Amino acid sequence: ADKVVFLTSWYAQAEHGGFYQAVATGIYKKYGLDVTIRMGGPQVNGMQILSSGQADFLMGYDLQTLKSVETGVPVTTVAASFQSELQGMMTHDDVKSLADLKSRTVLVSTSGRVTWWPWLKARYKLDDAQSRVYTFNLQPFFADPRSAQQAYASSEVFSANKAGVKNRFFLFADDGYPPYGTTIVTMQKTVKDKPELVARFVKASMEGWKSYLENPAPGNALIKKDNPNMQDDQLAWGVEKLKEYRMINGGDAATQGIGTMSDARWQKTRDFMVGAGLLKADADWKKAYTTQFVKDLRVMP
Amino acid sequence: MAVLYRSMEDGVSGGAAVAPALYANQVEKTYPNGTLALERVKLGIQPGEFVSLLGPSGCGKSTLLKLFAGLEQPSAGHIRRGEHHKLAMVFQEATLMPWARVADNVRLPLDLARMDRAESEERVRRALALVGLDKFGGVYPRELSGGMQMRVSIARALATNPDLLLMDEPFGALDEFTRNRLDADLRALWAERGLTVVFVTHSIYEAVYLSSRVIVMAARPGRVIADVAIEGPAVRDDAFRVSPPFMHYCAELSALLTQANTQEQP
Amino acid sequence: MAVLYRSMEDGVSGGAAVAPALYANQVEKTYPNGTLALERVKLGIQPGEFVSLLGPSGCGKSTLLKLFAGLEQPSAGHIRRGEHHKLAMVFQEATLMPWARVADNVRLPLDLARMDRAESEERVRRALALVGLDKFGGVYPRELSGGMQMRVSIARALATNPDLLLMDEPFGALDEFTRNRLDADLRALWAERGLTVVFVTHSIYEAVYLSSRVIVMAARPGRVIADVAIEGPAVRDDAFRVSPPFMHYCAELSALLTQANTQEQP
Amino acid sequence: MNPPLLSRPAVQRIAAPLAVGVVLLVIWQAVCTLMAVPDYLVPAPTVIIRALVEDWQMLSDALWVTLRITLLAFALSIVLGCAAAFLFVQSRVIEASLFPYAILLQVTPVAAIAPLIIIWVKDPTMALVICATMVAVFPIISNTVLGLRSVNPGLLNLFRVNHASKWDTLVRLRIPSALPYFFGGLRISCGLALIGAVVAEFVAGTGGTSAGLAYQILQAGFALNIPRLFAALFLITLSGVLLFGAMVLATRLALSHWHESEL
Amino acid sequence: MNPPLLSRPAVQRIAAPLAVGVVLLVIWQAVCTLMAVPDYLVPAPTVIIRALVEDWQMLSDALWVTLRITLLAFALSIVLGCAAAFLFVQSRVIEASLFPYAILLQVTPVAAIAPLIIIWVKDPTMALVICATMVAVFPIISNTVLGLRSVNPGLLNLFRVNHASKWDTLVRLRIPSALPYFFGGLRISCGLALIGAVVAEFVAGTGGTSAGLAYQILQAGFALNIPRLFAALFLITLSGVLLFGAMVLATRLALSHWHESEL
Ligand SMILES: Nc1ncnc2c1ncn2[C@@H]1O[C@H](COP(=O)(O)OP(=O)(O)OP(=O)(O)O)[C@@H](O)[C@H]1O
Ligand SMILES: Nc1ncnc2c1ncn2[C@@H]1O[C@H](COP(=O)(O)OP(=O)(O)OP(=O)(O)O)[C@@H](O)[C@H]1O
Ligand SMILES: [Mg+2]
Ligand SMILES: [Mg+2]
């Protein structure tokens, strides 16, 4: 079997379920792949590890991929597990809509500053002065009732609920935030030299997602092995959110199959970035993705 | 002009009935490593006396001086120091602050006593002149020779105008000419100011020339073996140094020193 | 038994035509701070000589010794040292390693010379016995009195069986009895082994008793003002110490020392 | 001759900080209880202790992982730090040429070069040890160089008169003279090795394989299990204090017979 | 009497490390060019220099932000470190009671308590300064305590004979004696203050307005703008080396007239 290293973006969690599922249930093996999943972490720079050849595939996100392509790193997206990002805003429960954020302190992580924040800022006329830094720790949010913070539906919201803090969550994608989520990124060279391997990996992974949605137990067992602190209730919550927001099987995926991507969506993402000054207008953004592996994939949910 | 062996009791109660300036009562000193440095030392020093300590190396002279100064505590017995004494001490080593210039080193005790600068400057100048180092106030101690460093530490003690002066081999590193001159100066100072001096020396001549009393000590364990009153002219000059009584005292002390050296317990 | 003032040239070429053990040719030493410590010193020391340096504090005796030992470089002129000399030096300060026991301190030069342990132990034992510290091999330097520390450093130098010995006021901190004994021992050693010794002292008696030649120096700037050959019996005992020639030399040197002290340039 | 128990220095050295600790803990507990501070903001000591007991298995495993990296990094720091110091003290030119690069090691943020180290060093434990060593090594170099230079000039003369080789001078003179400074460096570095191990795991750790205390802290933080987070922090600080204590003891053993700082 | 330019110590101290640096850079450049290493893996020096020049405005602003925090934290560390050291040296009981809590400061991962600091300290710059100070203060405390204890016992006796007050003994004896150790502490701490400022910014961030070098590094990392990342790293290390140089100079000014380590 071909040895493949897949680097995730974070410690193992429900958002990585499809990949673990594909390992756990032998889907990869079926496709002749011997896949090792390496966990990412808070400061692990996946792009660097991918481009140095330490990993074959990377769990990426579109804005970084576009940015990397702009700086000349020859990477490209070959599939998108989620039809949008799970990223959103968690507020105290007196906030009725994102428009109410104007008078709030917004906690933005350093990476958020060059991703969703410019988008949100422009959309709701917010300004930098009301932002403070988010350090992936909920205590400041709890301590200040006038604050709101970035969050993943699957993790921060769960923690806040568990701590008994009433909150609301607004998914950015619901408001038109364009990028895909949990994509598969690889080197352009791999696409050129081993398209067949890439195709197998993409197909097996997407089948993994399909299987995960049906019965997450095998994948979850593996997730807990990699990340012993992951609790069952949190995994269950995560799976529920994936389903609730139809991350995997909603949008285009409902008709085109799991993992699908469209030029139109990439264009929207690109236009937003250029508009927000995050990307040069002349960047060759089309290099950042290829639909060749997903357009006829049709792993139907 | 007989040599007088006072009894130990005499050493304490002898002289006028004034309170002794320094009084060691059955003092013993055992260092942490078990060395018995002093054994049952009983010694009283009257105000205005000039007492020299003579004895072989390691017999506890420095230890006794430190006990008098309150720098060590006796292991047994006790030390009493008369009140109202302004004490100054010259240590066996020069003990200068390497980061301070010579003048600042000499001025230290005056600064500690919060003396105002104008007066202390003047005192420092005079003290340095006394030891022949008036031109060296501005240099650092490491730029001085061994003997010069020692003279700085003497100047530091004298600058305080003490009335109780403890000196541990102050002139050992000086040539005989300078030493004689300083001996004479010290003796004059003592006479003029009515100082009480306890003086450690290895020079019998110096001890006899300077002292009103010489204590001879022996080592292992350190103890007092003789207490010799020196009866000489009040004003001692070079003539005294060659007078028969001087020679007599020297011979006497030399014999005692030999005794101290040979009497050492095995 | 006339006092002999050799000319400076004599100091170098006098004696047999063997190469001098030490030779200072028009040596000057200026310290970085500008002090002129030695001015045009010309001095030759023949193998087997016992030369004492006498002079006021700060006249450059230690500096000259350090130049001879190669520890300082002359600012002008040059120093030559005869070959095949095993040199040992006693510094003006005891200079002991505080972290090593007395025996280890004494053994240091032997260890540095890679002597085997059995022999070095024996040598250390003998050297410590010589200075009367046989029982103190196991203690740390800070547990010793000043004089005892100095004796350790003397033992350290003697343990190496040197044939060129530079000693800077080695016996200054010792009582007269011990000092006389060590003087005699040193003189005997010198005679027995044919050592070359350069010896700094402030004691005129000691200089005369020990030396075959005494160099008198004056200060500011440091320079040689006299070079006195001491002609005494080969074996010097206590009788020599009271003999008329001895007294004569002492008086002579005393006068020179006074001259050195009063001749100081303003 | 037997001083009362409480005035013995050894007892004071243990009892005094414990007493202060107990007082602080009581105040902390009181504040938490009286003001009803929620656990997820600042947990009360009792809550932390409960977490410590309940999660002991997990935490002690993690502690062991972190300690192993700490000790390896500390040992490596000592070896490399001393080697560098010995090298630097050989000549002023060598020191001048290379010291800036030692500083470079210190001031390069581990977070920034951890990715590169991960790329080059395959073994994850080794990568973490290297990161932690980078954090811990500098104080040893700096203090040891200072110590090796702070030699009594008289003793240096003694060694020169006896034709001591550079090696002998180093071993018999400079190293003993440097010990007080060296141990001072150790006392600073042991804590840095620990913190370096934690930070390295923060930035370079890849969870599953070697889950040390940093991983537990991160996870507890994300999961808002703040009592466990504090329990893990407590274990780190306790290790730090114990390591420091060990260094103090080592210093005492090595220096108490001669150096004034220990008399 | 004028030694040739290249053998002057001052020249050596500057020229030697520069020469080494140039050699290293040339090798680096050669390797990058010959092996055609892509910029996004390890950029060649020329590429980094280009990034430095092109992004100078942005980088120099960020540098200034980071330096400001560094210097504030360093100053605060000196003040607090000395104060703590003076306190500790007053009595063995005080030292025993409080020293463990100083260690606690050192070994607590900034990343773990930064959130709490952010809650309590509203001003972001101040929060960062506090974090960086936590990283930098310990070596100053530790070395200064060691120095204050390393006093010549003879001089201590001299002061006692002259009835010096605790204060006078501290100011006129202990502090001067401690200076070599204190400056040793400064030399370690200045780098730590810098690294602390960077790490603090990593974990606690600066609000959008004032972004320091850590922010630039993170952003460059996300965007895989590796030349800019290296340029920022270069600025950090350069600042570290210069800060260290300043400390060496300060040490020289303060000690060169008396302490053997500077003779
Ligand atoms: N390191 C130094 N830097 C500057 N000047 C120095 C240094 N060492 C000695 N001197 C000066 O050189 C002169 C000679 O010093 P040296 O130590 O040789 O004197 P000495 O004859 O040994 O005196 P003593 O009998 O007091 O030991 C003195 O004036 C002294 O001030
Ligand atoms: N700190 C110490 N620890 C242990 N023993 C000590 C200490 N200081 C001195 N001694 C011992 O106490 C004895 C007396 O020492 P002291 O310094 O009083 O002698 P001294 O008479 O001054 O000798 P010297 O003439 O050589 O200066 C010596 O045997 C010495 O070994
Ligand atoms: Mg003494
Ligand atoms: Mg001298």
Side-chain angles (χ1 to χ4, degrees), chain B residues 31 33 37 57-63 92 169 202, chain C residues 142-143 145 147:
Chain B
Y31 278 106
N33 68 350
S57 168
C59 70
K61 304 180 295 296
S62 300
T63 302
Q92 191 166 0
E169 303 183 34
H202 286 307
Chain C
R142 68 175 172 83
E143 300 170 339
S145 76

Side-chain angles (χ1 to χ4, degrees), chain B residues 145-147 173, chain C residues 57-63 92 168-169 200 202:
Chain B
S145 76
Chain C
S57 169
C59 70
K61 303 179 295 296
S62 300
T63 303
Q92 192 165 0
D168 200 347
E169 304 183 34
V200 175
H202 286 308

Side-chain angles (χ1 to χ4, degrees), chain E residues 89-156:
Chain E
V89 89
Q90 292 312 307
S91 105
R92 286 273 179 193
V93 176
I94 295 181
E95 181 181 359
S97 311
L98 298 183
F99 214 124
Y101 302 93
I103 303 164
L104 195 145
L105 267 191
Q106 190 201 18
V107 297
T108 303
V110 170
I113 57 151
L116 292 179
I117 293 179
I118 294 176
I119 293 177
W120 287 320
V121 183
K122 292 291 173 221
D123 179 44
T125 306
M126 207 50 227
L128 293 188
V129 168
I130 290 176
C131 290
T133 304
M134 281 185 51
V135 175
V137 75
F138 188 76
I140 298 186
I141 299 182
S142 178
N143 260 26
T144 308
V145 165
L146 176 59
L148 292 172
R149 291 217 184 286
S150 299
V151 171
N152 177 339
L155 284 173
L156 212 49

Side-chain angles (χ1 to χ4, degrees), chain C residues 61-115:
Chain C
K61 303 179 295 296
S62 300
T63 303
L64 185 56
L65 233 53
K66 282 190 199 148
L67 285 165
F68 279 147
L71 295 174
E72 297 274 3
Q73 294 310 312
S75 321
H78 65 267
I79 295 282
R80 234 179 18 229
R81 205 155 81 206
E83 276 152 39
H84 313 303
H85 280 307
K86 212 152 87 199
L87 179 142
M89 180 158 181
V90 178
F91 295 91
Q92 192 165 0
E93 255 138 49
T95 326
L96 303 177
M97 301 181 290
W99 55 83
R101 291 169 198 275
V102 162
D104 298 328
N105 264 292
V106 175
R107 206 178 47 242
L108 175 77
L110 310 180
D111 286 348
L112 289 177
R114 303 275 176 274
M115 182 178 292

Side-chain angles (χ1 to χ4, degrees), chain E residues 86-252:
Chain E
F86 294 165
L87 184 66
F88 290 173
V89 89
Q90 292 312 307
S91 105
R92 286 273 179 193
V93 176
I94 295 181
E95 181 181 359
S97 311
L98 298 183
F99 214 124
Y101 302 93
I103 303 164
L104 195 145
L105 267 191
Q106 190 201 18
V107 297
T108 303
V110 170
I113 57 151
L116 292 179
I117 293 179
I118 294 176
I119 293 177
W120 287 320
V121 183
K122 292 291 173 221
D123 179 44
T125 306
M126 207 50 227
L128 293 188
V129 168
I130 290 176
C131 290
T133 304
M134 281 185 51
V135 175
V137 75
F138 188 76
I140 298 186
I141 299 182
S142 178
N143 260 26
T144 308
V145 165
L146 176 59
L148 292 172
R149 291 217 184 286
S150 299
V151 171
N152 177 339
L155 284 173
L156 212 49
N157 277 342
L158 173 71
F159 274 70
R160 281 168 62 199
V161 163
N162 286 295
H163 306 291
S165 61
K166 277 212 160 192
W167 173 253
D168 273 329
T169 309
L170 181 67
V171 170
R172 293 171 188 270
L173 175 58
R174 291 195 184 273
I175 289 179
S177 306
L179 283 183
Y181 290 85
F182 169 72
F183 279 108
L186 287 195
R187 289 203 291 275
I188 296 171
S189 271
C190 66
L192 286 181
L194 179 62
I195 200 79
V198 174
V199 168
E201 210 192 327
F202 264 122
V203 298
T206 22
T209 39
S210 53
L213 283 174
Y215 177 82
Q216 297 296 349
I217 288 179
L218 279 175
Q219 295 302 355
F222 294 140
L224 229 68
N225 190 337
I226 305 299
R228 184 187 296 166
L229 190 152
F230 271 76
L233 276 183
F234 170 75
L235 286 181
I236 290 178
T237 50
L238 186 71
S239 313
V241 173
L242 290 181
L243 258 178
F244 188 90
M247 289 307 112
V248 169
L249 215 67
T251 313
R252 190 165 304 274

